[in-house]
Amino acid sequence: HKDAYQVILDGVKGGTKEKRLAAQFIPKFFKHFPELADSAINAQLDLCEDEDVSIRRQAIKELPQFATGENLPRVADILTQLLQTDDSAEFNLVNNALLSIFKMDAKGTLGGLFSQILQGEDIVRERAIKFLSTKLKTLPDEVLTKEVEELILTESKKVLEDVTGEEFVLFMKILSGLKSLQTVSGRQQLVELVAEQADLEQTFNPSDPDCVDRLLQCTRQAVPLFSKNVHSTRFVTYFCEQVLPNLSSLTTPVEGLDIQLEVLKLLAEMSSFCGDMEKLETNLRKLFDKLLEYMPLPPEEAENGENAGNEEPKLQFSYVECLLYSFHQLGRKLPDFLTAKLNAEKLKDFKIRLQYFARGLQVYIRQLRLALQGKTGEALKTEENKIKVVALKITNNINVLIKDLFHIPPSYKSTVTLSWKPVQKVEIGQKRANEDTTSGSPPKKSSAGPKRDARQIYNPPSGKYSSNLGNFNY
């Protein structure tokens, strides 16, 4: 009945009723006419683009019936292109159709999806990536086999040769959700992937906002991957060598962002997970020198006992918490750093600074405790009191670390929870001393396509992470 089937195919050129019948009958008898496969798929595709929304929906709904054998990647490709629809009902049908063929042949479906991610229109690429980031985790283990996960990793690496910051974050979400990459070796692979994106082999350019943005976004993706077995050494070394000396000249595209504090927070979070470091002493020295910049010497006193200067130096507690914590973490690996003969004068100077800072700290802690005294529940939820609670955490942390460094010789035994990290809830009435002694570790947890021109300021994150980065005009 080949002629009869041809009549059905020709129905796509008819009126509304003929098209509705064709949308149902073309897929129904498709398997019986392999020699007309191309014509049938093209005919159904015409119906998927029809002006009548009901015909389009019917045609899209039936598309998975064409996904047999070598036709499946093509159907996946077509469905991926159809993700660009603005009709919510159609969009849901396309998603469901893609999921159904994923369960038939995951590799073939991925072929169609990645083909469009690499070579398709921007809107198709964007929605295909979002489809992977949201739907992969819903698929059962028998679909996401080890082979399928390896294919996702291989294809993702091709895409990552040229991505925006937002795309990079989504791909890290996709890859970190794969079961095969949740082992120590898997997480190490992901860290290496992030390091490659961060371009840690290149000299850091603090005056290029895109370069700064890329480093921050990549480091944020790396931090949750670090553990006692997956080390942050390469990132910490880069921050100490390249970023800290240029801290004051960093530029950022994000209005109102304290870029220096963002960098110091990331360094503090990573410092807990350093492995053996070739340039440990050099990095400690750079960290130490930067810390001294934020720990002023006491103002000189005039003959009458008053300050010779007009005002007291400003104490930047947030910066000092990050730098002191990082120095404390790396100092554990080289406890003789401050007590070496070469550093005798530096240690003397450092202790004067510590003593002066500690005095100012105690005054501020008393003021904060007095301001928060007796406040509970809703009273602590006001914006002003939230800031005071965080300030108290910061100052308590600095206090604990300074006490350690006042030991003779300096000690590196205390542990604190960084002020922006969550702490375990304490029962009402229970002493809060443990807040200062909990762990400071963060939770464990070939040819590319066309160049991406679109770039958005992060939050959501972005940044063009391609090899021709220097040519990009921000």
Side-chain angles (χ1 to χ4, degrees):
H1 302 287
K2 184 177 176 181
D3 291 344
Y5 191 62
Q6 186 62 56
V7 171
I8 294 172
L9 295 181
D10 293 338
V12 301
K13 298 169 187 173
T16 302
K17 291 180 180 179
E18 287 86 352
K19 287 178 181 177
R20 282 181 183 162
L21 282 173
Q24 296 172 58
F25 286 137
I26 292 172
K28 185 172 183 179
F29 299 111
F30 172 73
K31 61 184 178 183
H32 300 296
F33 302 97
E35 67 277 19
L36 292 174
D38 282 346
S39 299
I41 292 172
N42 288 333
Q44 193 77 3
L45 188 54
D46 286 343
L47 295 172
C48 290
E49 297 171 347
D50 197 82
E51 291 179 1
D52 189 319
V53 66
S54 62
I55 292 172
R56 289 203 308 271
R57 290 176 185 174
Q58 180 67 40
I60 291 168
K61 187 179 178 183
E62 303 294 344
L63 268 178
Q65 293 194 54
F66 296 87
T68 55
E70 61 185 22
N71 293 317
L72 190 139
R74 185 181 173 192
V75 173
D77 193 288
I78 291 166
L79 283 168
T80 306
Q81 290 181 61
L82 291 171
L83 284 170
Q84 65 186 294
T85 179
D86 292 324
D87 183 287
S88 58
E90 272 182 58
F91 184 75
N92 290 334
L93 284 171
V94 174
N95 271 270
N96 292 336
L98 270 171
L99 281 173
S100 67
I101 67 168
F102 226 117
K103 291 168 185 174
M104 296 180 207
D105 180 354
K107 283 186 172 182
T109 307
L110 285 168
L113 278 160
F114 275 103
S115 169
Q116 284 301 316
I117 289 171
L118 285 165
Q119 298 167 9
E121 297 293 326
D122 281 355
I123 183 68
V124 175
R125 173 186 171 103
E126 178 191 330
R127 293 188 180 180
I129 293 171
K130 284 184 178 173
F131 173 85
L132 285 173
S133 70
T134 55
K135 303 298 182 185
L136 277 183
K137 59 189 176 188
T138 67
L139 294 168
D141 291 346
E142 57 265 27
V143 174
L144 281 181
T145 61
K146 188 178 179 182
E147 280 187 357
V148 170
E149 290 195 346
E150 284 173 359
L151 177 63
I152 293 170
L153 178 60
T154 302
E155 293 300 315
S156 295
K157 284 180 178 177
K158 294 178 188 175
V159 181
L160 286 171
E161 289 178 18
D162 181 25
V163 286
T164 65
E166 186 177 0
E167 290 170 347
F168 174 65
V169 171
L170 286 174
F171 267 103
M172 287 306 298
K173 180 182 174 184
I174 291 166
L175 295 175
S176 57
L178 300 179
K179 191 173 284 186
S180 59
L181 292 177
Q182 302 200 0
T183 59
V184 170
S185 61
R187 288 204 310 277
Q188 186 61 53
Q189 237 183 313
L190 288 177
V191 167
E192 286 166 10
L193 201 62
V194 177
E196 194 177 317
Q197 289 295 317
D199 222 0
L200 298 185
E201 298 301 320
Q202 298 299 315
T203 303
F204 180 65
N205 182 0
S207 60
D208 179 359
D210 199 58
C211 178
V212 176
D213 178 38
R214 183 181 69 245
L215 179 65
L216 258 65
Q217 292 302 343
C218 290
T219 308
R220 284 191 187 113
Q221 296 306 308
V223 166
L225 300 169
F226 296 135
S227 67
K228 63 179 181 180
N229 296 316
V230 181
H231 297 147
S232 59
T233 314
R234 193 175 169 194
F235 280 84
V236 171
T237 298
Y238 189 83
F239 269 60
C240 289
E241 287 184 350
Q242 303 263 355
V243 186
L244 281 185
N246 298 298
L247 194 64
S248 58
S249 54
L250 294 179
T251 52
T252 173
V254 183
E255 192 177 344
L257 177 73
D258 188 340
I259 188 69
Q260 296 182 43
L261 184 57
E262 284 295 302
V263 165
L264 295 179
K265 280 183 175 182
L266 287 170
L267 177 59
E269 289 187 49
M270 294 188 294
S271 62
S272 308
F273 302 115
C274 274
D276 294 333
M277 192 182 286
E278 284 183 19
K279 301 176 181 177
L280 177 58
E281 188 170 354
T282 304
N283 290 335
L284 256 175
R285 194 169 299 283
K286 288 181 183 294
L287 197 51
F288 182 70
D289 290 343
K290 184 57 65 175
L291 176 60
L292 291 182
E293 288 180 28
Y294 294 97
M295 300 200 81
L297 283 165
E300 292 181 13
E301 290 189 355
E303 290 180 7
N304 59 4
E306 295 181 1
N307 289 344
N310 294 326
E311 56 183 37
E312 296 277 341
K314 187 179 178 183
L315 305 181
Q316 300 196 51
F317 297 109
S318 295
Y319 286 35
V320 170
E321 179 198 16
C322 298
L323 285 162
L324 201 56
Y325 181 88
S326 302
F327 177 75
H328 193 268
Q329 292 296 315
L330 292 190
R332 289 176 177 176
K333 298 180 177 299
L334 193 63
D336 298 336
F337 175 76
L338 285 174
T339 53
K341 285 184 179 179
L342 290 171
N343 293 332
E345 282 302 313
K346 280 203 169 189
L347 179 58
K348 184 181 176 182
D349 172 79
F350 185 43
K351 288 208 167 182
I352 293 171
R353 292 171 189 265
L354 281 177
Q355 200 167 23
Y356 176 66
F357 202 95
R359 283 208 309 269
L361 196 68
Q362 294 305 323
V363 172
Y364 194 41
I365 288 174
R366 281 197 298 273
Q367 289 173 350
L368 286 168
R369 283 181 176 159
L370 196 62
L372 293 169
Q373 193 173 5
K375 290 185 171 64
T376 56
E378 291 302 314
L380 289 174
K381 292 180 181 177
T382 65
E383 200 58 39
E384 185 184 350
N385 285 333
K386 278 182 183 176
I387 292 170
K388 287 176 181 174
V389 168
V390 173
L392 190 56
K393 285 182 184 177
I394 293 170
T395 47
N396 278 333
N397 283 348
I398 297 172
N399 198 34
V400 171
L401 297 173
I402 284 179
K403 282 179 182 177
D404 247 19
L405 296 175
F406 264 134
H407 281 269
I408 302 175
S411 166
Y412 301 93
K413 291 179 181 177
S414 295
T415 55
V416 298
T417 301
L418 290 164
S419 59
W420 61 92
K421 306 298 284 183
V423 292
Q424 291 180 339
K425 288 188 178 179
V426 189
E427 294 296 325
I428 295 173
Q430 184 178 335
K431 288 185 180 178
R432 303 185 64 85
N434 289 338
E435 266 192 23
D436 296 333
T437 55
T438 50
S439 170
S441 305
K444 290 184 184 178
K445 324 192 191 177
S446 328
S447 86
K451 298 297 173 191
R452 302 289 120 198
D453 293 324
R455 186 186 185 286
Q456 302 152 347
I457 291 176
Y458 64 77
N459 287 338
S462 72
K464 189 175 168 70
Y465 303 165
S466 57
S467 56
N468 63 351
L469 181 68
N471 300 324
F472 185 77
N473 293 321
Y474 190 80

